Structure formats: C-alpha cells, structure tokens
C-alpha cells in the first residue's frame, strides 16, 4: 500500500514538472509569435526556472530515499544537466539575447519535456503494477 | 601606387648590385665576420640575404625595426659580398638590371637584387648548411611571409604545385637549378610552415623592400602580376629566376587578357617556388578610393532608395536555397535609416494624416514606388506579399494608357525610394516626450585629477548621484529642470562642479546605484542618459572586479568571458532602460581598467554608443570631448524609435546585428537613433525556390520627431524601399556584390564571435569565409579557363582580401591579449558594431596622405584639396623621410614628420619651441647617424644606421610588444608624451595645414579627429601610433598583405 502512495506522489510531481516546462515553452512560443514582449516572457520563464530545478531535485532524492534507485538513476542525467546549467549561471534566459537564443531554449525544453513524459510512463507503470500487487494480496 | 618615391634619398643608398659583383672571394670572409653566434659559418648565406635587406629597410626608415639578430652580421657580410658577385653577374647580366628589364618579377629581383645575386655564385660552396638549419631558424619569420620559398624556383619540386602552367625554364635556368638544389633543401619545406607562426621578427620588412625603381611591367597592369612572396629569405636564385620566369609567365598572361571580361585576376603565379618574386606589391588591389557604393543597385532600379540608407551584400538575390548556400559572403543588408542627407537631397515629407497612410492589409507594407495599380486605379497590388488591396477613395487616381497613375508626379511616395510619412497619433502609444538629457558624472578622485569634470559640459539637465546602497530619489520632478527656464541654475551648478569636488579623495564609484537612480528619474519621460565614468564601479550593485588584469584568463577558453559583461546586472539594467526608452551613451575616461565590456553593454542594448578616451587629460582631449559631446547632443536624434525590415516573399530576416534591442522577432527597439548608427541584418531564403523576378525590401523607422532642428512633437515614419533582381547564376551574384556591405556584416559577425570564442577563432572564421567565397568563384571558371596559379576574383570584390586583412588586424580582432588593451578592444568593438559602412571602411583601411608638397607649394588654391588627397597604400615604404604625412582613420589624425623634413616646416607648423623639442626626441638615433656620416662611406652608413636602429629601436619596440600591458597601463608615460595641441600659427603653411585638417574633419563629422604628432624614428610612439597601423606591413607576428594573399590563394587552391 505504501508503494502505491509513493508512486502517486511521484506521479503528481512529474505532472507539476510537465506543467512548468509546458508553461515555459508557451512563453517562448508566444514570444516567437509576438503575443508577448521579451520582458514579460523572460521574467515569466525565469520565475519558474528555479522551482522546476528544485522540484526535479526533490523528485530524484525522493526516489532515492524510497529505495527506487532505478528511477533515481533515470532522473540523474536530468539533474546533472540542471546543476550544470545552474553552476554556469546559464539557467535563466537573457532578456537581451532572448531572440537569438530562442531556438536553443526551445529545443532544450522540448528535450526535457520528452524526458519527463518518459518518466511519467515509468511511474504510471509502477503505480499500476503496485496496485495490482496490492489487489493480489 | 603612390608608394614609390622616385626622389627618395635613401634609395641610392641601397647597395647597388655593382659592389657586390666585384670580387669572388667567397664565403670565408663571411663566416669569420659573422658575429652572430647561433649560425654556423654556413648559415651565413641566409644572413647575407638579410644583409641586403636591412639597407633597403633603412631607406624606408619608417619600417619597423628589423630583427635584431640579423643586424650585426649585415655589416660584415655586406661589404664582403660585393666581391663575390661578379661572376654571377656575368652569367646573368639582365638580372642586375632587373628593375627595368623584368616586368612581372621586378620587385623580386630588385629587392633581392644585390645580395641575392651575389649569392648565386657563392651559393655553391656555403649553401648547403644554409638550407637546412640556419635558414629555418633565422628566417622562420620570413618564411611566414613567403608562402612559397623564393628559392623554390630553383627546385623543380615545389614549382609544379604552384604553377602548373609554368613552362620549362631555359637551359641556363636548369643549370642553375641543379647547382643550387642541394643547398636549399630546407626551403621547400618552408612553404608549409608559412602560415601564421608568430615570427620573432616584428617586421616583415623583407617583403617591403623598396619597390624597384622603375618597375613598369607589362603584366602589372591588369592582372597585377602578383607574386606575392616576400623576397626576404630567398636570396638565391633570384636572378636566375627572374630570367626564367619571364618566358614562363608570359603564356598565362595572354590567356588572362582574354578573360578579363569575366573576372579580375592576380597572377600569383609567380614562379613556383618563388612566389615572392612574382608578386608586384604595387599592383595589388587596394581600396585607396575609399568606399565605392555599388552603382548597379540604383541603376537597375532607379526608384530604389539611396545606398547610403540601405545596402545589400549582393544586389543579385539567389533564386534557390542551393544557390544561396554557395554564396559564402552571407546574404544580408546594412541599414542606416537616418543617414545624413547631402544638401538638397532631403527625404520628402508627406502628410497623409487626413486620408490615412496607405498600407497593405496583410503585411502592412507602406505604399512605395514598386506597387502596381490595376483595375483602373481602384486596386493596388502589394509588391511584398502580392495581395490586391483597395485604393481608398481619397487616394484614387485614374490610370493612363500605360497603367501609370495620372497624378504620379504629385506623389513622391510613388516616385522615390525614401520618403517620410507624418504619422497619425495612433502610431505611438504615447505623445512624443521632450528630449531629456541626463548626465551622470563620476566624481571620484581620478576624474577630478584628469580634468574631466572641468571640461565645459554646457548642456541641459544634470544631476550628480553620490552613492547609496538603497537608492531613492527625492522629488523626481524637481531634479529635472527645463533648460531655458533655469539656465542660470544649471550654469552655476556647472561652474561649481569642479570646486565642489576638488577636495574629493573618494576613489570609489557607485556606478550601479547611480544608474538605477537615473533610471528612476528618467523612467517617466525616457531620453538620453550620458554616463561619464572614470573608474571601475566599486560600490553597490553592479560593482565590478578587476578581472581584466587577470593574465591567467588570456589565451584560455575563458578568455572571451572578459569581453562579456560581468554578472547579470548590466544586461538587466540595459533591458530595463530600453523598455523605458532611455538610451545610454557611455563616455569612459580611464587610465586603468574600467571594464568597458560591462559598461558598454548599457549602450549596446539601448541603441547608444561608447566613447572611450584612454588616459584622458583635459588639456589634450578636451577639444575632442567637446566636439563629440556637442555632436552627440545636437545631431538630429530620433527618440523611442522602432525599426522593422520587411522582405519580399520567400526571404526572411534571420538575425540582426548592431546596437539595439529586439522587441519582437523582427522589431528593433531603438530608444535613441541618429545618423551615425547603422544596423546589419542577415537574410535567408524561406522557400527552396523563389518564383518572383524581383525581391523587395522595405526598412521602416517609426519615431516621434524631436530635437533641435526639426519640428517637435511630430511622429514620422521613414520608409526606405529597395528592389533587387533574383538571379539564378552565382557569377551574377558575385558581379553584384558590395564589398562595403559585406564587410560591415563580416565585422559585426566577427566581433560577436569574439564574445563567445577566442580572437583567433574569429579571425580564422573570417578567413575561412573569404577563402570559401574565392574558391567557389574559382570553381565557376576553373573549367573553362586555364587559371594556372592565378588568383581570380570578381571586380566587385577586388578589395575582399585587403579589407579582410584590415579587419583581422582591426582593434577588436587583432593579435593576442598583448596587442591591445582589453578596454580599447571592447570600446572599439562597440563602436564598430554601430558604424555606417563608409566610416567602417575608412577605419579598416585608413587614408595616408602626403601633404608637405601642398604645404610648400607657393601658390596653392584652396580648391586644390582634391589633388593632394591622394591616398597612399598603408605600407612603410609609402613614407618618405622627407615628407609630412597625415594618417586619418576617421577617429584621429596621426601627423608624421619625416626625418629629413626641412626643419622650417616643423617650425612653421608647430612653433619654434616644439620644433626644437621634436628634434631632440630622437637625438639618440640621430647622433649615431651623424657620427656615422662623418666617418663612413655610404654603404657603411647604411650598416651602421641599421645597427643603431636595431639597438635603439627594435629593443624598445620589441619589449613594448611583449610587455605592453605593463607599459600601456602606466598613464601617459609614453603613450603620447609629445602630444601637442596643434594651434594655428601666423604663417601660410600652418594655415594650410589647419585647412587640410578642417577639410578632413568636415568629411567625417561624427568624431573629432585629434591630431597626434609623431616624428620618424621616435620610438616607441611611432610604432604605436602609426607603424602598427600600416596594415600591409608585417608586424609582430601578423602577416603582411602579400603573405595574406598568398595564404588565401593557397587555401583557395586546396581542395578545388
């Protein structure tokens, strides 16, 4: 029964991460199509960058603490990438160069999105698996 | 080529071949005499070649100091040499004569002449050793210059590569060849080494040897027979080569002429191994006429806007992406929306407020000369997106039989490529604001000491922010004053400013908080913020570290970070300033590192500009500051402007380069914009195939007009429209290329590259672009024509190589960390990012003008200016020691006084006191020469002079080149020690000089060119101010023009 809760929590965290990433992508897309100006776009994005990093780090630690080390390993590369961005101080978008960086920033977030979707499937699988096991008991 | 000064005194001094020829004694004397330890006796030969070289330099005098090592030997060998030569002469009499006799190769022959000749005969004995070790060691530098070893001709091996067409040498040739081969094994290898290795020898003089006295060569004319290679090392074999080459080269030439219609070419062919010789430096293309605007642009489409507003890198737009990908010079445009109009060519202003401005419904294009009216005048078709729009009733006019509107001549917007519409109120989100100038002045102690504050800043609103961590602004409204109402207050304040802070010993500068405060005050109105900064910001937010002094960062992967702003404060601040329509101009006056990279960011993203006055002293730079500040405040300025460039269907603007901030993907936000700012844009094809015949571009600048000259409070829309044909042929693209626009774009790309890469990478990528472009062009013609080893290029790009070299030697890109101070580099980078095409080209290839003849001419008319404004090539040999020259790069004048210039001239121009001082300066060198003159004969004099020169000058210059960050940092120590304020004296000559300077300044009013006076031989000042700027010379490890062309040529030929 405990496992089910663990998977549920990770499921919600993943959903939250997905929302954050999609939100950033939307800001970038809006910027590209001139719906918002670069100032708003970059400040909106920058506002959620850190929460995203922290949440993702928390998820990784959470997996580790609950003994799901395979999932923790899967989160590893993502975490490493974030940490590297942060230490290089490249995690925030630069309002002055945002248009030149647009393609890169978008690509980066699309990759993250795919990665998170993959993780989501894994955690869904494990959630179902553990419910089934619970029912068997 | 103005280079040649027939009258040059020194020339004669050059060792005539005659002496050499005298005795055959051979090597022994040599070896013994050689002082230089490094080289074994055998090594002598190389030296000997050097020997002759020095004298030549000498004659130039202006030439940078020759390599130290070679000096001493020179004297010895020199004398001895003469003897040996004769035998050789007998064999090849023509050789000596060379200058006149051998056309294409003359330069070579002449340069080498004396020494080289002599060697041939001798070479048999000693040569062997030379070839191998000594050469490589001593000459490595020279090797650089000479892509192909001069000796190469001797070697059959090298030759083939270079010149396929080369015909077999005559018998004599082969004979010589055989003899020599053994000696020079080392040479061929040199070729490869050519590249960039920094040479110990600062100078590449060798290559510069004075031009042959009478070189008119048949070939030179068209193809510029170009045998680039520097003669330096190649002592031997020259003569023989000379003979041989002639025949061999001839055939290609004939072919060339037939081809001339298609392209221009340089017969680099030179002899195979002998590149150097063949290259006639004087016939290399040089942009001595400055910028030439492409005529085809307006000829084909007379209704296009003037090229001063908009220039395309090529007026032939490629019809397909595959074609575009073969155009390596980047597809793009340079827009200067507010370029100054000459009298009588003002942009017509049209008022359509009542009817509304006619624009395309879909793409919002403004009506322009290229729209077509149909349906009896009731509809018009947009030329950009091809949409059919209705003509509003007020604008309706019938069409005549040819389909033209009958009211065409009353509609300037349908006739001219550049018009200004008066915009209705809904075009801006707020009414135009009064122009606001906000002065932010650094009052720390160094500012007070330098006199910066004392200068007369007689302009509007001003506020001094001392420093606070938590900035608040008391009563923002009261801080801003209306100039006309409170002029007295302002003036009183200005007067008291120096005294208020005269006792200030505060060395700290709270720059960040000050900018924030200014931002708060100005955010309501927007305007222009002028920042006068003297020290590194050290307090509060935005404080900066002395990172420029950290030598460890240079040359590493982190080097580029020094050219980027530190932290995010400055970028964020710049973005905020732009958002509130505040433009920033930074005036930096520092004797120490001030981190222009960070400060300049404020200007970069707000459409501003960086003025940098290193080592500011108000007595010297005051005038410059006054002019440039006045220009800044009074030139017509557009506030809160936005600019958009629309392109016809299938074309898209991909990136923008310049000082501005993008507000959306294609909208440039320009808080302030004026006539001195240009913006570059790169274009790309959106569709694989363009179906239209013509592509249109429209650059639109929307701005409320305010300022001193025009009616305030009006909104204006300036529209520049241009059309360019779509072409399917790469050759046509090349024919329509515009070198000025290309380099404007290249320059910005290269500077941006230095922000993310090493300097060297930026230079290499520039070179690669040029090589690719020329290779592509060569491939176009390689099939039909036997190009041999000639270098071909379209006539429109004949200056591609010279500007390429100039750009890679320009301040933001040149050398390594020691070649320019970081701040200077960054300041120059910011400046060049905004320069209009003409000024950029002038900065890249400055003008060098000889004026002493004009000054001395008894009856000179004022309208004679055109005659004297003959620009000379930027080589040391352009400088005649009897002359007076002005070097003008648009930012400063360097006035060079030749050593032999009559003292009267100096006295007249500078006044008696200074003239005396001027002559004192170089007393050291001069005295040595005087002594030498009495004691020795001419040849000996040459040698001695050389010797003195080496000791006195090259040591200093070299040490300067190596440690210049140390020297440069000591304020005013030698940078401009004898700087004088050039004042008009009461004599005709002085008046004429001032007239010339005035005239030159008028041609480029955006900066004030401060004259720097330099006396020939006055080191290191001369080296710093002038010699390093002679960009065709080889200096401190950079290649000279000839080597550069050879390098490019070689790379072009690879992989073709």
């Amino acid at each position: 029964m405990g496992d089910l809760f663990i998977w549920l929590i990770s499921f919600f965290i993943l959903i939250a991460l997905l929302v954050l990433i999609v939100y950033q992508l939307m800001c970038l897309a809006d910027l590209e199509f001139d719906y918002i100006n670069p100032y708003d776009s970059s400040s909106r994005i920058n506002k959620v960058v850190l929460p995203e990093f922290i949440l993702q780090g928390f998820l990784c630690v959470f997996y580790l603490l609950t003994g799901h080390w395979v999932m923790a390993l899967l989160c590893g590369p993502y975490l490493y990438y974030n940490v590297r961005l942060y230490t290089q101080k490249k995690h925030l978008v630069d309002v002055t160069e945002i248009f030149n960086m647009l393609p890169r920033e978008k690509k980066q977030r699309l990759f993250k999105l795919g990665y998170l979707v993959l993780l989501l499937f894994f955690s869904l699988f494990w959630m179902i698996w553990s419910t089934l096991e619970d029912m068997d008991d | 080529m103005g280079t040649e000064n027939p009258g040059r005194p020194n020339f004669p001094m050059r060792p005539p071949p005659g002496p050499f020829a005298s005795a055959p004694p051979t090597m022994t004397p040599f070896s013994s005499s050689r002082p230089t330890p490094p080289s074994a006796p055998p090594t002598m030969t190389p030296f000997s070649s050097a020997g002759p070289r020095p004298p030549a330099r000498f004659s130039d005098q202006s030439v940078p100091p020759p390599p130290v090592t070679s000096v001493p030997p020179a004297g010895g060998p020199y004398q001895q040499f003469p003897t040996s030569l004769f035998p050789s002469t007998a064999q090849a009499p023509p050789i000596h004569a060379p200058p006149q006799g051998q056309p294409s190769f003359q330069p070579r022959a002449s340069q080498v002449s004396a020494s080289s000749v002599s060697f041939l005969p001798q070479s048999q004995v000693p040569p062997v050793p030379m070839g191998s070790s000594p050469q490589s060691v001593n000459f490595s530098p020279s090797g650089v210059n000479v892509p192909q070893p001069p000796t190469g001709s001797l070697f059959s091996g090298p030759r083939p590569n270079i010149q396929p067409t080369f015909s077999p040498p005559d018998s004599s040739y082969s004979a010589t060849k055989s003899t020599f081969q053994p000696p020079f094994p080392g040479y061929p290898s040199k070729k490869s080494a050519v590249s960039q290795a920094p040479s110990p020898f600062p100078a590449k003089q060798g290559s510069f040897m004075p031009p042959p006295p009478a070189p008119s060569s048949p070939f030179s004319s068209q193809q510029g027979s170009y045998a680039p290679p520097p003669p330096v090392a190649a002592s031997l074999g020259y003569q023989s080569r000379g003979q041989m080459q002639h025949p061999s080269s001839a055939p290609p030439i004939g072919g060339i002429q037939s081809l001339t219609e298609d392209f221009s070419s340089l017969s680099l062919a030179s002899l195979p191994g002998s590149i150097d010789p063949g290259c006639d430096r004087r016939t290399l293309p040089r942009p001595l006429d400055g910028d030439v605007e492409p005529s085809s642009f307006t000829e084909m489409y007379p209704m296009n806007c003037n090229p001063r507003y908009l220039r395309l890198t090529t007026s032939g737009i490629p019809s397909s992406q595959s074609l575009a990908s073969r155009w390596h010079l980047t597809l793009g445009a340079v827009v200067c929306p507010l370029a100054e109009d000459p009298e009588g060519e003002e942009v017509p202003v049209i008022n359509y407020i009542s009817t509304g401005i006619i624009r395309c419904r879909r793409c919002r294009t403004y009506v322009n000369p290229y729209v077509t009216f149909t349906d009896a005048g009731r509809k018009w078709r947009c030329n950009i997106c091809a949409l059919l729009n209705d003509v509003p009733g007020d604008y309706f006019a019938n069409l005549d039989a040819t389909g033209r509107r009958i009211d065409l001549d009353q509609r300037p917007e349908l006739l001219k490529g550049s018009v200004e519409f008066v915009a209705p109120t809904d075009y801006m989100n707020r009414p135009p604001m009064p122009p606001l100038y906000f002065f932010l002045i650094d009052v720390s102690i160094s500012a007070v000491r330098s006199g910066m504050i004392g200068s007369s800043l007689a302009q509007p609103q001003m506020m001094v922010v001392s420093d606070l961590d938590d900035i608040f602004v008391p009563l923002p409204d009261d801080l801003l004053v209306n100039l006309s109402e409170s002029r007295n207050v302002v003036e009183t304040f200005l007067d008291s400013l120096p005294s208020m802070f005269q006792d200030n010993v505060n060395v700290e500068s709270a720059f960040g908080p000050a900018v924030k405060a200014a931002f708060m005050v100005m955010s309501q109105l927007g305007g222009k913020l002028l920042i006068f900064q003297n020290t590194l910001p050290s307090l509060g937010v935005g404080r900066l570290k002395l990172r420029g002094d950290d030598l460890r960062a240079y040359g590493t992967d982190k080097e580029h970070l020094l050219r980027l702003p530190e932290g995010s404060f400055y970028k964020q601040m710049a973005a905020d300033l732009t958002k509130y329509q505040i433009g920033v101009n930074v005036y930096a006056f520092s004797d120490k590192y001030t981190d222009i990279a960070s400060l300049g960011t404020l200007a970069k993203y707000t459409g501003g500009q960086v003025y940098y006055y290193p080592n500011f002293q108000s007595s010297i730079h005051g005038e410059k500051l006054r002019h440039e500040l006045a220009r800044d405040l009074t030139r017509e300025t557009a506030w809160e402007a936005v600019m958009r460039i629309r392109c016809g269907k299938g074309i898209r603007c991909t990136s923008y380069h310049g000082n501005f901030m993008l507000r959306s993907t294609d909208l440039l936000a320009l808080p302030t914009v004026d006539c001195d700012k240009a913006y570059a844009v790169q274009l790309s094809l959106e569709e694989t195939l363009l179906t239209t015949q013509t592509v249109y571009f429209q650059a639109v600048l929307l701005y409320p007009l305010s300022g001193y000259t025009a009616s305030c409070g009006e909104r204006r829309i300036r529209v520049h429209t241009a059309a360019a044909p779509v072409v399917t042929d790469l050759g046509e693209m090349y024919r329509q290329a515009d070198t000025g626009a290309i380099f404007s774009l290249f320059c910005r790309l290269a500077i941006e590259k230095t922000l993310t890469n090493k300097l060297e990478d930026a230079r290499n990528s520039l070179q690669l672009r040029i090589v690719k472009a020329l290779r592509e062009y060569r491939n176009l013609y390689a099939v039909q024509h036997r190009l041999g080893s000639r270098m071909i290029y379209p006539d429109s790009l004949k200056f591609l190589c010279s500007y390429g070299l100039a750009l890679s030697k320009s301040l933001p890109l040149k050398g390594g960390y020691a070649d320019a101070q970081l701040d200077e580099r960054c300041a120059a980078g910011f400046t060049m990012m905004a320069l209009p095409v003409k000024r950029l080209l002038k900065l890249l290839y400055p003008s060098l003008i000889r004026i002493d003849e004009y000054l001395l001419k008894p009856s000179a008319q004022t309208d004679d200016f055109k005659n004297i404004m003959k620009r000379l090539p930027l080589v040391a040999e352009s400088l005649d020691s009897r002359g007076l020259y002005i070097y003008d790069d648009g930012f400063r004048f360097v006035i060079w006084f030749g050593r032999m210039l009559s003292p009267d001239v100096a006295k007249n121009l500078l006044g008696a006191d200074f003239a005396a001082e001027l002559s004192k300066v170089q007393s050291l060198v001069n005295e040595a020469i005087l002594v030498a003159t009495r004691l020795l004969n001419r040849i000996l004099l040459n040698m001695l002079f050389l010797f003195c020169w080496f000791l006195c000058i090259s040591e200093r210059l070299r040490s300067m080149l190596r440690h210049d960050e140390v020297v440069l940092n000591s304020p005013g120590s030698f940078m401009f020690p004898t700087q004088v304020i050039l004042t008009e004296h009461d004599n005709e000559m002085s008046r004429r000089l001032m007239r010339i300077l005035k005239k030159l300044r008028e041609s480029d009013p955006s900066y004030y060119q401060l004259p720097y006076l330099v006396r020939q031989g006055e080191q290191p000042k001369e080296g710093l101010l002038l010699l390093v700027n002679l960009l065709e010379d080889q200096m401190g490890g950079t290649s000279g023009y000839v080597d550069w062309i050879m390098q490019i040529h070689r790379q072009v030929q690879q992989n073709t």
Side-chain angles (χ1 to χ4, degrees), chain B residues 349-353 357 366 420-433 638-641 701-706 710-718:
Chain B
V349 179
I350 307 160
N351 193 331
Y352 279 132
I353 288 192
I357 297 170
Y366 291 82
E420 249 182 32
F421 295 105
V422 176
T425 47
D426 53 345
Y427 271 72
M428 303 297 266
N429 31 15
R430 63 173 180 179
M433 296 287 139
W639 309 79
E640 317 187 2
L701 184 80
L702 171 63
Y703 63 99
L705 200 63
S706 58
S711 50
C712 287
E714 237 177 39
R715 301 160 185 80
R716 292 278 182 84
I717 303 167
R718 183 173 279 218

Side-chain angles (χ1 to χ4, degrees), chain A residues 32 34 37-39 94-97 99, chain B residues 571 575 578-579 605 661-665:
Chain A
E32 196 174 0
D34 208 6
N37 64 47
Y39 304 100
D94 175 1
V95 59
T96 51
E97 294 289 343
F99 284 104
Chain B
K571 281 197 155 186
T578 309
K579 191 174 178 183
Y605 293 108
M661 194 168 139
L662 276 175
R663 188 173 294 162
S664 70
T665 38

